[in-house]
Structure formats: structure tokens, C-alpha cells
Amino acid sequence: MQAHLPGSPGGFTMIEVLVAMFVLAVGVVGASAAQLAAQRTRQHAALSSEAALLATSLAARMQANAHVASLPDGANPYFPLDYQADGAGPPAGGAPCIGAGACDPLALAAYDLRETRLALHRGFPSGRIAVCRDGAPWDAAHSRYRWACSGEATAPVAIKIGWHGTQNGPGYVLLVAR
């Protein structure tokens, strides 16, 4: 056996190796957590973009069908709408209003709403959409949008879209001037 003299090279001790492995493990766990957070943020951003497209599409459909969209609130099929996609199958089919199928304005509104529900059902986990009149969709006490609508006759039309992960409130709100 050889004895190591002070100052002579002797390699690493077991403690040094264990400390190095622990530091490396902490770094790998930290990198994995950062990757997971980035993935969640990317998913939320993608859903927010899809919600903006869906809300804008419905608003454009409502503006294109101005005769029905300008009906009084009680006779207007576009609102109030409150649809939740969790647990249920896709919305029931209706008459197609594209191609050879000609529709009157009320049938076109029903088709627009069915297509919107179908897009919500297909694209958003536990999706929900609400279309209503709301002058104040922001809940300052909870720092988020709220699902409840004020319903004031002079309030703008609000299209609210939410999904799993938006903390019990809409993740996207579009106010449509009338």
C-alpha cells in the first residue's frame, strides 16, 4: 500500500463525486422544470390565438348576417349563448348552409352557432363559449375576466371563450361594437 503524502495528486474522494452528482441532478431537474413551464406557456398561447380566431370568426359571421344580428335580444339567436363542451359529444348536426344548400337568415345563424360550437368542442380542452351583452367583463377583485354578463341593453356584445387552465374565467374576451 502506498500512502499519499500531502501535496501529491490523489484523485477525487467519494464525497466530491457525490456532491458533483448532486449538483448535476439539481441542474437537470431545474432544466426539466423550465422546459415544462415553457411547454405550458406555449400551449396557453396557442389556445389564446385559436380563441381570438374563433371569436373573430363568430363576430364576422354575425356582421355578415346583419338582419338576424340586429334583432332584439329576445329574438336574436346569437345571444345569449352559453355552451360548455366538457363531457358531451360534438354538437348535433344541422342543415348545411354552404354549397348547394341555401339558407334563410335564421337557418344561417343556427349554422353559424353550430360551427362555432363544433370548433370549440374540437379545439379546446373543456371549452366554454358565452355570447352576451356585457359592459364590464373584467373582475378587478379577482384580476380576471368573468363569465357572468351584465345584460344591459346598451352594453356591447361580448364573446367570451375559456378552456381548462384559465382559472374559472374566460381566457379570451372580444367586445363587438353594435
Side-chain angles (χ1 to χ4, degrees):
M1 288 198 155
Q2 287 184 328
H4 288 276
L5 299 173
S8 65
F12 297 107
T13 66
M14 183 61 91
I15 297 293
E16 290 172 327
V17 171
L18 289 175
V19 167
M21 288 178 64
F22 176 74
V23 169
L24 181 64
V26 168
V28 168
V29 169
S32 298
Q35 187 72 12
L36 182 61
Q39 183 69 12
R40 284 184 186 148
T41 302
R42 187 207 58 80
Q43 176 72 13
H44 184 75
L47 288 172
S48 294
S49 295
E50 288 296 318
L53 289 172
L54 184 60
T56 304
S57 171
L58 181 58
R61 289 171 182 248
M62 290 169 67
Q63 289 172 347
N65 196 355
H67 174 72
V68 173
S70 63
L71 291 173
D73 289 359
N76 190 331
Y78 287 110
F79 57 88
L81 167 69
D82 194 354
Y83 173 73
Q84 280 191 286
D86 36 321
C97 286
I98 54 174
C103 291
D104 66 1
L106 286 173
L108 182 60
Y111 175 77
D112 292 342
L113 292 173
R114 182 197 179 276
E115 290 297 306
T116 300
R117 288 181 185 116
L118 190 58
L120 182 83
H121 181 79
R122 288 180 178 161
F124 296 87
S126 301
R128 181 177 177 188
I129 186 168
V131 180
C132 57
R133 293 196 176 278
D134 195 359
W138 184 254
D139 183 358
H142 294 100
S143 298
R144 67 177 183 212
Y145 290 111
R146 68 177 121 231
W147 283 112
C149 298
S150 64
E152 303 157 358
T154 58
V157 174
I159 301 173
K160 303 176 179 185
I161 300 175
W163 54 91
H164 178 73
T166 56
Q167 301 161 349
N168 299 324
Y172 183 81
V173 173
L174 173 67
L175 295 177
V176 181
R178 189 167 180 194

PDB file of all heavy atoms in Angstrom, residues 70-108:
ATOM      1  N   SER A  70     -79.165  42.022 -35.791  1.00  0.00           N
ATOM      2  CA  SER A  70     -79.745  43.281 -35.314  1.00  0.00           C
ATOM      3  C   SER A  70     -81.117  43.094 -34.674  1.00  0.00           C
ATOM      4  O   SER A  70     -81.735  44.069 -34.241  1.00  0.00           O
ATOM      5  CB  SER A  70     -79.836  44.279 -36.472  1.00  0.00           C
ATOM      6  OG  SER A  70     -80.708  43.783 -37.475  1.00  0.00           O
ATOM      7  N   LEU A  71     -81.598  41.863 -34.597  1.00  0.00           N
ATOM      8  CA  LEU A  71     -82.879  41.606 -33.933  1.00  0.00           C
ATOM      9  C   LEU A  71     -82.771  41.934 -32.441  1.00  0.00           C
ATOM     10  O   LEU A  71     -81.675  41.891 -31.870  1.00  0.00           O
ATOM     11  CB  LEU A  71     -83.284  40.139 -34.098  1.00  0.00           C
ATOM     12  CG  LEU A  71     -83.681  39.693 -35.504  1.00  0.00           C
ATOM     13  CD1 LEU A  71     -83.889  38.180 -35.538  1.00  0.00           C
ATOM     14  CD2 LEU A  71     -84.933  40.414 -35.967  1.00  0.00           C
ATOM     15  N   PRO A  72     -83.893  42.234 -31.799  1.00  0.00           N
ATOM     16  CA  PRO A  72     -83.850  42.470 -30.353  1.00  0.00           C
ATOM     17  C   PRO A  72     -83.313  41.235 -29.618  1.00  0.00           C
ATOM     18  O   PRO A  72     -83.403  40.116 -30.113  1.00  0.00           O
ATOM     19  CB  PRO A  72     -85.314  42.724 -29.978  1.00  0.00           C
ATOM     20  CG  PRO A  72     -86.018  43.007 -31.256  1.00  0.00           C
ATOM     21  CD  PRO A  72     -85.223  42.383 -32.356  1.00  0.00           C
ATOM     22  N   ASP A  73     -82.792  41.463 -28.439  1.00  0.00           N
ATOM     23  CA  ASP A  73     -82.110  40.404 -27.697  1.00  0.00           C
ATOM     24  C   ASP A  73     -82.948  39.144 -27.532  1.00  0.00           C
ATOM     25  O   ASP A  73     -82.445  38.036 -27.669  1.00  0.00           O
ATOM     26  CB  ASP A  73     -81.660  40.911 -26.328  1.00  0.00           C
ATOM     27  CG  ASP A  73     -80.516  41.898 -26.454  1.00  0.00           C
ATOM     28  OD1 ASP A  73     -80.072  42.165 -27.590  1.00  0.00           O
ATOM     29  OD2 ASP A  73     -80.061  42.406 -25.418  1.00  0.00           O
ATOM     30  N   GLY A  74     -84.215  39.232 -27.261  1.00  0.00           N
ATOM     31  CA  GLY A  74     -85.044  38.061 -27.049  1.00  0.00           C
ATOM     32  C   GLY A  74     -85.257  37.230 -28.304  1.00  0.00           C
ATOM     33  O   GLY A  74     -85.474  36.026 -28.238  1.00  0.00           O
ATOM     34  N   ALA A  75     -85.187  37.856 -29.483  1.00  0.00           N
ATOM     35  CA  ALA A  75     -85.418  37.159 -30.742  1.00  0.00           C
ATOM     36  C   ALA A  75     -84.116  36.832 -31.475  1.00  0.00           C
ATOM     37  O   ALA A  75     -84.142  36.180 -32.506  1.00  0.00           O
ATOM     38  CB  ALA A  75     -86.307  38.012 -31.647  1.00  0.00           C
ATOM     39  N   ASN A  76     -83.001  37.275 -30.945  1.00  0.00           N
ATOM     40  CA  ASN A  76     -81.709  37.100 -31.598  1.00  0.00           C
ATOM     41  C   ASN A  76     -81.109  35.742 -31.220  1.00  0.00           C
ATOM     42  O   ASN A  76     -80.810  35.496 -30.060  1.00  0.00           O
ATOM     43  CB  ASN A  76     -80.763  38.227 -31.175  1.00  0.00           C
ATOM     44  CG  ASN A  76     -79.500  38.269 -31.985  1.00  0.00           C
ATOM     45  OD1 ASN A  76     -79.024  37.262 -32.482  1.00  0.00           O
ATOM     46  ND2 ASN A  76     -78.937  39.453 -32.108  1.00  0.00           N
ATOM     47  N   PRO A  77     -80.939  34.848 -32.190  1.00  0.00           N
ATOM     48  CA  PRO A  77     -80.418  33.515 -31.850  1.00  0.00           C
ATOM     49  C   PRO A  77     -78.934  33.522 -31.461  1.00  0.00           C
ATOM     50  O   PRO A  77     -78.452  32.553 -30.883  1.00  0.00           O
ATOM     51  CB  PRO A  77     -80.632  32.710 -33.130  1.00  0.00           C
ATOM     52  CG  PRO A  77     -80.691  33.715 -34.219  1.00  0.00           C
ATOM     53  CD  PRO A  77     -81.254  34.963 -33.613  1.00  0.00           C
ATOM     54  N   TYR A  78     -78.212  34.594 -31.760  1.00  0.00           N
ATOM     55  CA  TYR A  78     -76.785  34.628 -31.443  1.00  0.00           C
ATOM     56  C   TYR A  78     -76.509  34.785 -29.944  1.00  0.00           C
ATOM     57  O   TYR A  78     -75.470  34.374 -29.472  1.00  0.00           O
ATOM     58  CB  TYR A  78     -76.076  35.746 -32.211  1.00  0.00           C
ATOM     59  CG  TYR A  78     -75.904  35.450 -33.681  1.00  0.00           C
ATOM     60  CD1 TYR A  78     -76.620  36.142 -34.643  1.00  0.00           C
ATOM     61  CD2 TYR A  78     -75.016  34.465 -34.108  1.00  0.00           C
ATOM     62  CE1 TYR A  78     -76.443  35.874 -35.992  1.00  0.00           C
ATOM     63  CE2 TYR A  78     -74.843  34.185 -35.449  1.00  0.00           C
ATOM     64  CZ  TYR A  78     -75.556  34.897 -36.390  1.00  0.00           C
ATOM     65  OH  TYR A  78     -75.380  34.623 -37.714  1.00  0.00           O
ATOM     66  N   PHE A  79     -77.435  35.403 -29.232  1.00  0.00           N
ATOM     67  CA  PHE A  79     -77.217  35.530 -27.787  1.00  0.00           C
ATOM     68  C   PHE A  79     -78.542  35.643 -27.055  1.00  0.00           C
ATOM     69  O   PHE A  79     -79.531  36.037 -27.646  1.00  0.00           O
ATOM     70  CB  PHE A  79     -76.272  36.689 -27.448  1.00  0.00           C
ATOM     71  CG  PHE A  79     -76.676  38.039 -27.940  1.00  0.00           C
ATOM     72  CD1 PHE A  79     -77.488  38.861 -27.190  1.00  0.00           C
ATOM     73  CD2 PHE A  79     -76.236  38.497 -29.157  1.00  0.00           C
ATOM     74  CE1 PHE A  79     -77.845  40.110 -27.635  1.00  0.00           C
ATOM     75  CE2 PHE A  79     -76.605  39.742 -29.624  1.00  0.00           C
ATOM     76  CZ  PHE A  79     -77.405  40.545 -28.863  1.00  0.00           C
ATOM     77  N   PRO A  80     -78.574  35.276 -25.817  1.00  0.00           N
ATOM     78  CA  PRO A  80     -77.421  34.811 -25.053  1.00  0.00           C
ATOM     79  C   PRO A  80     -77.082  33.361 -25.390  1.00  0.00           C
ATOM     80  O   PRO A  80     -77.964  32.520 -25.507  1.00  0.00           O
ATOM     81  CB  PRO A  80     -77.851  34.939 -23.608  1.00  0.00           C
ATOM     82  CG  PRO A  80     -79.339  34.799 -23.638  1.00  0.00           C
ATOM     83  CD  PRO A  80     -79.778  35.356 -24.971  1.00  0.00           C
ATOM     84  N   LEU A  81     -75.807  33.093 -25.568  1.00  0.00           N
ATOM     85  CA  LEU A  81     -75.301  31.753 -25.822  1.00  0.00           C
ATOM     86  C   LEU A  81     -74.342  31.401 -24.702  1.00  0.00           C
ATOM     87  O   LEU A  81     -73.482  32.198 -24.345  1.00  0.00           O
ATOM     88  CB  LEU A  81     -74.555  31.711 -27.164  1.00  0.00           C
ATOM     89  CG  LEU A  81     -73.706  30.466 -27.443  1.00  0.00           C
ATOM     90  CD1 LEU A  81     -74.599  29.250 -27.652  1.00  0.00           C
ATOM     91  CD2 LEU A  81     -72.816  30.681 -28.649  1.00  0.00           C
ATOM     92  N   ASP A  82     -74.493  30.236 -24.120  1.00  0.00           N
ATOM     93  CA  ASP A  82     -73.565  29.727 -23.110  1.00  0.00           C
ATOM     94  C   ASP A  82     -73.444  28.231 -23.351  1.00  0.00           C
ATOM     95  O   ASP A  82     -74.349  27.468 -23.049  1.00  0.00           O
ATOM     96  CB  ASP A  82     -74.071  30.026 -21.696  1.00  0.00           C
ATOM     97  CG  ASP A  82     -72.994  29.825 -20.648  1.00  0.00           C
ATOM     98  OD1 ASP A  82     -71.892  29.341 -20.983  1.00  0.00           O
ATOM     99  OD2 ASP A  82     -73.246  30.161 -19.480  1.00  0.00           O
ATOM    100  N   TYR A  83     -72.333  27.824 -23.935  1.00  0.00           N
ATOM    101  CA  TYR A  83     -72.125  26.426 -24.317  1.00  0.00           C
ATOM    102  C   TYR A  83     -70.844  25.899 -23.681  1.00  0.00           C
ATOM    103  O   TYR A  83     -69.804  26.547 -23.753  1.00  0.00           O
ATOM    104  CB  TYR A  83     -72.032  26.307 -25.836  1.00  0.00           C
ATOM    105  CG  TYR A  83     -71.640  24.929 -26.312  1.00  0.00           C
ATOM    106  CD1 TYR A  83     -72.534  23.871 -26.262  1.00  0.00           C
ATOM    107  CD2 TYR A  83     -70.364  24.687 -26.812  1.00  0.00           C
ATOM    108  CE1 TYR A  83     -72.176  22.600 -26.694  1.00  0.00           C
ATOM    109  CE2 TYR A  83     -70.000  23.427 -27.248  1.00  0.00           C
ATOM    110  CZ  TYR A  83     -70.898  22.389 -27.181  1.00  0.00           C
ATOM    111  OH  TYR A  83     -70.542  21.144 -27.604  1.00  0.00           O
ATOM    112  N   GLN A  84     -70.940  24.737 -23.043  1.00  0.00           N
ATOM    113  CA  GLN A  84     -69.782  24.062 -22.465  1.00  0.00           C
ATOM    114  C   GLN A  84     -69.581  22.745 -23.185  1.00  0.00           C
ATOM    115  O   GLN A  84     -70.524  21.972 -23.351  1.00  0.00           O
ATOM    116  CB  GLN A  84     -69.972  23.813 -20.972  1.00  0.00           C
ATOM    117  CG  GLN A  84     -69.694  25.053 -20.158  1.00  0.00           C
ATOM    118  CD  GLN A  84     -69.630  24.739 -18.684  1.00  0.00           C
ATOM    119  OE1 GLN A  84     -70.660  24.502 -18.078  1.00  0.00           O
ATOM    120  NE2 GLN A  84     -68.439  24.733 -18.139  1.00  0.00           N
ATOM    121  N   ALA A  85     -68.342  22.484 -23.587  1.00  0.00           N
ATOM    122  CA  ALA A  85     -68.043  21.295 -24.385  1.00  0.00           C
ATOM    123  C   ALA A  85     -67.568  20.111 -23.561  1.00  0.00           C
ATOM    124  O   ALA A  85     -67.332  19.059 -24.119  1.00  0.00           O
ATOM    125  CB  ALA A  85     -66.983  21.639 -25.434  1.00  0.00           C
ATOM    126  N   ASP A  86     -67.408  20.247 -22.248  1.00  0.00           N
ATOM    127  CA  ASP A  86     -66.861  19.119 -21.499  1.00  0.00           C
ATOM    128  C   ASP A  86     -67.883  18.012 -21.305  1.00  0.00           C
ATOM    129  O   ASP A  86     -69.023  18.238 -20.995  1.00  0.00           O
ATOM    130  CB  ASP A  86     -66.247  19.528 -20.150  1.00  0.00           C
ATOM    131  CG  ASP A  86     -66.968  20.640 -19.444  1.00  0.00           C
ATOM    132  OD1 ASP A  86     -67.403  21.552 -20.131  1.00  0.00           O
ATOM    133  OD2 ASP A  86     -67.087  20.607 -18.211  1.00  0.00           O
ATOM    134  N   GLY A  87     -67.401  16.803 -21.522  1.00  0.00           N
ATOM    135  CA  GLY A  87     -68.208  15.623 -21.269  1.00  0.00           C
ATOM    136  C   GLY A  87     -69.192  15.258 -22.369  1.00  0.00           C
ATOM    137  O   GLY A  87     -69.512  14.103 -22.535  1.00  0.00           O
ATOM    138  N   ALA A  88     -69.683  16.210 -23.098  1.00  0.00           N
ATOM    139  CA  ALA A  88     -70.682  15.931 -24.130  1.00  0.00           C
ATOM    140  C   ALA A  88     -69.988  15.609 -25.450  1.00  0.00           C
ATOM    141  O   ALA A  88     -68.848  15.977 -25.676  1.00  0.00           O
ATOM    142  CB  ALA A  88     -71.587  17.142 -24.309  1.00  0.00           C
ATOM    143  N   GLY A  89     -70.715  14.919 -26.295  1.00  0.00           N
ATOM    144  CA  GLY A  89     -70.197  14.667 -27.633  1.00  0.00           C
ATOM    145  C   GLY A  89     -70.279  15.942 -28.457  1.00  0.00           C
ATOM    146  O   GLY A  89     -70.701  16.991 -27.967  1.00  0.00           O
ATOM    147  N   PRO A  90     -69.885  15.868 -29.706  1.00  0.00           N
ATOM    148  CA  PRO A  90     -69.971  17.061 -30.546  1.00  0.00           C
ATOM    149  C   PRO A  90     -71.414  17.528 -30.695  1.00  0.00           C
ATOM    150  O   PRO A  90     -72.340  16.736 -30.563  1.00  0.00           O
ATOM    151  CB  PRO A  90     -69.396  16.610 -31.888  1.00  0.00           C
ATOM    152  CG  PRO A  90     -69.213  15.155 -31.817  1.00  0.00           C
ATOM    153  CD  PRO A  90     -69.369  14.713 -30.397  1.00  0.00           C
ATOM    154  N   PRO A  91     -71.622  18.816 -30.936  1.00  0.00           N
ATOM    155  CA  PRO A  91     -72.985  19.326 -31.074  1.00  0.00           C
ATOM    156  C   PRO A  91     -73.729  18.643 -32.230  1.00  0.00           C
ATOM    157  O   PRO A  91     -73.122  18.224 -33.206  1.00  0.00           O
ATOM    158  CB  PRO A  91     -72.805  20.818 -31.335  1.00  0.00           C
ATOM    159  CG  PRO A  91     -71.369  21.037 -31.582  1.00  0.00           C
ATOM    160  CD  PRO A  91     -70.614  19.839 -31.131  1.00  0.00           C
ATOM    161  N   ALA A  92     -75.022  18.563 -32.082  1.00  0.00           N
ATOM    162  CA  ALA A  92     -75.863  17.903 -33.088  1.00  0.00           C
ATOM    163  C   ALA A  92     -75.765  18.632 -34.421  1.00  0.00           C
ATOM    164  O   ALA A  92     -75.597  19.844 -34.473  1.00  0.00           O
ATOM    165  CB  ALA A  92     -77.309  17.877 -32.608  1.00  0.00           C
ATOM    166  N   GLY A  93     -75.892  17.860 -35.479  1.00  0.00           N
ATOM    167  CA  GLY A  93     -75.792  18.418 -36.824  1.00  0.00           C
ATOM    168  C   GLY A  93     -77.018  19.218 -37.207  1.00  0.00           C
ATOM    169  O   GLY A  93     -78.094  19.053 -36.651  1.00  0.00           O
ATOM    170  N   GLY A  94     -76.828  20.064 -38.151  1.00  0.00           N
ATOM    171  CA  GLY A  94     -77.917  20.882 -38.673  1.00  0.00           C
ATOM    172  C   GLY A  94     -77.804  20.920 -40.185  1.00  0.00           C
ATOM    173  O   GLY A  94     -76.940  20.281 -40.781  1.00  0.00           O
ATOM    174  N   ALA A  95     -78.667  21.687 -40.791  1.00  0.00           N
ATOM    175  CA  ALA A  95     -78.644  21.803 -42.244  1.00  0.00           C
ATOM    176  C   ALA A  95     -77.416  22.612 -42.669  1.00  0.00           C
ATOM    177  O   ALA A  95     -77.152  23.675 -42.114  1.00  0.00           O
ATOM    178  CB  ALA A  95     -79.908  22.496 -42.721  1.00  0.00           C
ATOM    179  N   PRO A  96     -76.661  22.112 -43.634  1.00  0.00           N
ATOM    180  CA  PRO A  96     -75.508  22.879 -44.108  1.00  0.00           C
ATOM    181  C   PRO A  96     -75.968  24.093 -44.904  1.00  0.00           C
ATOM    182  O   PRO A  96     -76.949  24.031 -45.637  1.00  0.00           O
ATOM    183  CB  PRO A  96     -74.741  21.886 -44.986  1.00  0.00           C
ATOM    184  CG  PRO A  96     -75.750  20.877 -45.402  1.00  0.00           C
ATOM    185  CD  PRO A  96     -76.776  20.820 -44.304  1.00  0.00           C
ATOM    186  N   CYS A  97     -75.264  25.187 -44.724  1.00  0.00           N
ATOM    187  CA  CYS A  97     -75.617  26.423 -45.420  1.00  0.00           C
ATOM    188  C   CYS A  97     -74.531  26.838 -46.398  1.00  0.00           C
ATOM    189  O   CYS A  97     -74.353  28.024 -46.662  1.00  0.00           O
ATOM    190  CB  CYS A  97     -75.860  27.537 -44.413  1.00  0.00           C
ATOM    191  SG  CYS A  97     -77.416  27.384 -43.541  1.00  0.00           S
ATOM    192  N   ILE A  98     -73.782  25.874 -46.877  1.00  0.00           N
ATOM    193  CA  ILE A  98     -72.748  26.192 -47.854  1.00  0.00           C
ATOM    194  C   ILE A  98     -72.975  25.332 -49.085  1.00  0.00           C
ATOM    195  O   ILE A  98     -73.664  24.314 -49.041  1.00  0.00           O
ATOM    196  CB  ILE A  98     -71.330  25.944 -47.286  1.00  0.00           C
ATOM    197  CG1 ILE A  98     -71.195  24.522 -46.758  1.00  0.00           C
ATOM    198  CG2 ILE A  98     -70.994  26.941 -46.213  1.00  0.00           C
ATOM    199  CD1 ILE A  98     -69.808  24.156 -46.308  1.00  0.00           C
ATOM    200  N   GLY A  99     -72.412  25.743 -50.186  1.00  0.00           N
ATOM    201  CA  GLY A  99     -72.574  24.979 -51.427  1.00  0.00           C
ATOM    202  C   GLY A  99     -73.981  25.099 -51.962  1.00  0.00           C
ATOM    203  O   GLY A  99     -74.539  26.186 -52.071  1.00  0.00           O
ATOM    204  N   ALA A 100     -74.594  23.963 -52.244  1.00  0.00           N
ATOM    205  CA  ALA A 100     -75.925  23.949 -52.853  1.00  0.00           C
ATOM    206  C   ALA A 100     -77.028  24.234 -51.847  1.00  0.00           C
ATOM    207  O   ALA A 100     -78.142  24.560 -52.233  1.00  0.00           O
ATOM    208  CB  ALA A 100     -76.181  22.602 -53.524  1.00  0.00           C
ATOM    209  N   GLY A 101     -76.740  24.113 -50.546  1.00  0.00           N
ATOM    210  CA  GLY A 101     -77.779  24.337 -49.554  1.00  0.00           C
ATOM    211  C   GLY A 101     -78.011  25.822 -49.294  1.00  0.00           C
ATOM    212  O   GLY A 101     -77.142  26.498 -48.760  1.00  0.00           O
ATOM    213  N   ALA A 102     -79.140  26.334 -49.683  1.00  0.00           N
ATOM    214  CA  ALA A 102     -79.479  27.731 -49.449  1.00  0.00           C
ATOM    215  C   ALA A 102     -80.210  27.840 -48.113  1.00  0.00           C
ATOM    216  O   ALA A 102     -81.039  26.998 -47.785  1.00  0.00           O
ATOM    217  CB  ALA A 102     -80.352  28.268 -50.568  1.00  0.00           C
ATOM    218  N   CYS A 103     -79.898  28.880 -47.357  1.00  0.00           N
ATOM    219  CA  CYS A 103     -80.494  29.051 -46.034  1.00  0.00           C
ATOM    220  C   CYS A 103     -81.100  30.439 -45.902  1.00  0.00           C
ATOM    221  O   CYS A 103     -80.578  31.406 -46.456  1.00  0.00           O
ATOM    222  CB  CYS A 103     -79.434  28.906 -44.948  1.00  0.00           C
ATOM    223  SG  CYS A 103     -78.794  27.251 -44.759  1.00  0.00           S
ATOM    224  N   ASP A 104     -82.170  30.513 -45.117  1.00  0.00           N
ATOM    225  CA  ASP A 104     -82.688  31.824 -44.759  1.00  0.00           C
ATOM    226  C   ASP A 104     -81.798  32.364 -43.622  1.00  0.00           C
ATOM    227  O   ASP A 104     -80.975  31.633 -43.067  1.00  0.00           O
ATOM    228  CB  ASP A 104     -84.154  31.745 -44.372  1.00  0.00           C
ATOM    229  CG  ASP A 104     -84.408  30.946 -43.103  1.00  0.00           C
ATOM    230  OD1 ASP A 104     -83.443  30.449 -42.491  1.00  0.00           O
ATOM    231  OD2 ASP A 104     -85.577  30.808 -42.715  1.00  0.00           O
ATOM    232  N   PRO A 105     -81.912  33.652 -43.258  1.00  0.00           N
ATOM    233  CA  PRO A 105     -81.026  34.231 -42.247  1.00  0.00           C
ATOM    234  C   PRO A 105     -81.065  33.521 -40.889  1.00  0.00           C
ATOM    235  O   PRO A 105     -80.024  33.377 -40.242  1.00  0.00           O
ATOM    236  CB  PRO A 105     -81.520  35.676 -42.130  1.00  0.00           C
ATOM    237  CG  PRO A 105     -82.084  35.979 -43.481  1.00  0.00           C
ATOM    238  CD  PRO A 105     -82.719  34.684 -43.925  1.00  0.00           C
ATOM    239  N   LEU A 106     -82.233  33.048 -40.444  1.00  0.00           N
ATOM    240  CA  LEU A 106     -82.295  32.343 -39.162  1.00  0.00           C
ATOM    241  C   LEU A 106     -81.588  30.984 -39.226  1.00  0.00           C
ATOM    242  O   LEU A 106     -80.894  30.590 -38.283  1.00  0.00           O
ATOM    243  CB  LEU A 106     -83.736  32.162 -38.708  1.00  0.00           C
ATOM    244  CG  LEU A 106     -84.406  33.438 -38.187  1.00  0.00           C
ATOM    245  CD1 LEU A 106     -85.890  33.186 -37.926  1.00  0.00           C
ATOM    246  CD2 LEU A 106     -83.722  33.929 -36.933  1.00  0.00           C
ATOM    247  N   ALA A 107     -81.743  30.268 -40.339  1.00  0.00           N
ATOM    248  CA  ALA A 107     -81.046  28.995 -40.504  1.00  0.00           C
ATOM    249  C   ALA A 107     -79.542  29.214 -40.596  1.00  0.00           C
ATOM    250  O   ALA A 107     -78.752  28.413 -40.086  1.00  0.00           O
ATOM    251  CB  ALA A 107     -81.556  28.265 -41.742  1.00  0.00           C
ATOM    252  N   LEU A 108     -79.138  30.320 -41.210  1.00  0.00           N
ATOM    253  CA  LEU A 108     -77.718  30.649 -41.290  1.00  0.00           C
ATOM    254  C   LEU A 108     -77.149  30.932 -39.897  1.00  0.00           C
ATOM    255  O   LEU A 108     -76.040  30.498 -39.572  1.00  0.00           O
ATOM    256  CB  LEU A 108     -77.490  31.844 -42.216  1.00  0.00           C
ATOM    257  CG  LEU A 108     -76.031  32.267 -42.414  1.00  0.00           C
ATOM    258  CD1 LEU A 108     -75.211  31.129 -43.009  1.00  0.00           C
ATOM    259  CD2 LEU A 108     -75.964  33.499 -43.295  1.00  0.00           C
TER     260      LEU A 108
END
